[in-house]
Amino acid sequence: MNPIVNLQGKVGLVTGIANEKSISTGVAEACAQAGAKLIITYQNEKTRAFIEPVIHRLGVEDVFLLDVTKQETMDAAFAEIDARYGKLDFAVHSMAFAKRDDLHGRVVDTSADGFALAMDVSTHSFVRLAKKAEPLLEKAGGGALVTMTYLGSEKVIPNYGVMGLCKAALEAATRYMAAELGAKGIRVNAVSPGPLMTRAASGIAGFDGLMAAAVERSPMHALVTPEDIGALTAFLVSDAGRLVTGGVHFVDAGYNIMA
């Protein structure tokens, strides 16, 4: 009997790996263990050095430049995927950015340029990725798109600022794209992890306190790990999740349900 989460024969794109502790690293590991052929992207040559250990450990052969602020790099990456595989079964979007002042400051003080940059990198990049992936997912007979969100989309989180607005828009985009792409067999979902220490999280003031509160207040009194996030994502992109679309799926030991 085949395992429930089986990605044998599937080709998947995983973006956003910054180092070995990244959420995307856990996702890549889970998908690789389930048998997927992985494609990994990096933002620039400087950042590639930090992901080399992940590339080598997982035996990833296809590693492409993809800087979402430079559309030509996304175009080139997807053209290469098409040339090499002629299809794509799933793509994982795990990218977000906001200027430090906009992240820690008041939303009402956010500059127009800062707001636009945060929304472009954190939210619209998922829309652009979906647009590029759509024809390749169709060639595969359908597939899955997954993005990473956070509870700050619906609750006010200290020092999360404009990113809360970006995540709210990201979740709305997930629902709309799920409705638009469902007829083609393309599923779109968002995963919402509890707080965990990543390079991105280290830029949020007081994040240690958020993690401590998550342990104290969550029903299971535990912190999520990249492996936990990877396991859920692997399920969502597998055939086991074939009728799951348009949702925000929490993996946070139940923290989001607590008042």
Side-chain angles (χ1 to χ4, degrees):
M1 180 180 293
N2 290 328
I4 291 176
V5 177
N6 182 2
L7 298 178
Q8 292 287 340
K10 295 190 183 295
V11 178
L13 171 67
V14 178
T15 67
I17 296 178
N19 54 42
E20 295 217 59
K21 295 183 178 180
S22 295
I23 286 174
S24 290
T25 300
V27 171
E29 289 174 339
C31 291
Q33 289 169 8
K37 178 72 173 180
L38 290 184
I39 300 159
I40 285 176
T41 67
Y42 63 98
Q43 184 180 2
N44 53 50
E45 289 301 327
K46 180 179 178 181
T47 60
R48 174 162 180 160
F50 292 102
I51 70 171
E52 285 293 340
V54 179
I55 294 170
H56 291 307
R57 188 174 73 254
L58 299 182
V60 177
E61 299 172 355
D62 299 310
V63 184
F64 302 148
L65 172 67
L66 198 163
D67 180 344
V68 295
T69 66
K70 299 176 180 177
Q71 183 62 33
E72 64 272 17
T73 67
M74 185 178 286
D75 294 341
F78 277 92
E80 189 65 28
I81 294 170
D82 192 12
R84 294 193 187 189
Y85 298 103
K87 71 162 190 171
L88 190 65
D89 294 285
F90 65 88
V92 178
H93 170 274
S94 183
M95 292 177 278
F97 176 79
K99 293 180 180 179
R100 183 176 295 271
D101 288 347
D102 294 328
L103 195 63
H104 295 161
R106 302 190 307 167
V107 168
V108 294
D109 295 328
T110 307
S111 66
D113 288 346
F115 183 86
L117 177 61
M119 279 287 182
D120 181 67
V121 175
S122 309
T123 304
H124 195 255
S125 64
F126 184 42
V127 177
R128 297 197 300 276
L129 184 144
K131 177 69 173 177
K132 299 299 296 186
E134 181 182 0
L136 293 176
L137 293 167
E138 282 189 86
K139 289 181 180 181
L145 297 165
V146 176
T147 190
M148 298 295 154
T149 186
Y150 181 55
L151 186 61
S153 64
E154 57 180 87
K155 305 293 183 183
V156 176
I157 304 295
N159 299 309
Y160 203 58
V162 70
M163 190 56 65
L165 281 65
C166 294
K167 294 300 188 183
L170 183 67
E171 292 175 13
T174 296
R175 291 187 288 272
Y176 275 85
M177 292 195 297
E180 293 168 353
L181 300 176
K184 296 181 177 181
I186 299 172
R187 313 182 310 276
V188 190
N189 287 286
V191 170
S192 185
L196 73 162
M197 186 51 71
T198 62
R199 190 178 75 171
S202 66
I204 301 174
F207 200 78
D208 287 344
L210 285 177
M211 291 195 298
V215 173
E216 179 182 352
R217 297 181 57 197
S218 65
M220 301 182 75
H221 303 294
L223 282 177
V224 68
T225 68
E227 290 76 18
D228 298 321
I229 301 162
L232 175 57
T233 304
F235 166 79
L236 289 171
V237 303
S238 75
D239 292 342
R242 61 189 175 276
L243 291 181
V244 181
T245 194
V248 176
H249 308 279
F250 290 93
V251 52
D252 62 358
Y255 180 70
N256 72 92
I257 68 172
M258 303 306 292

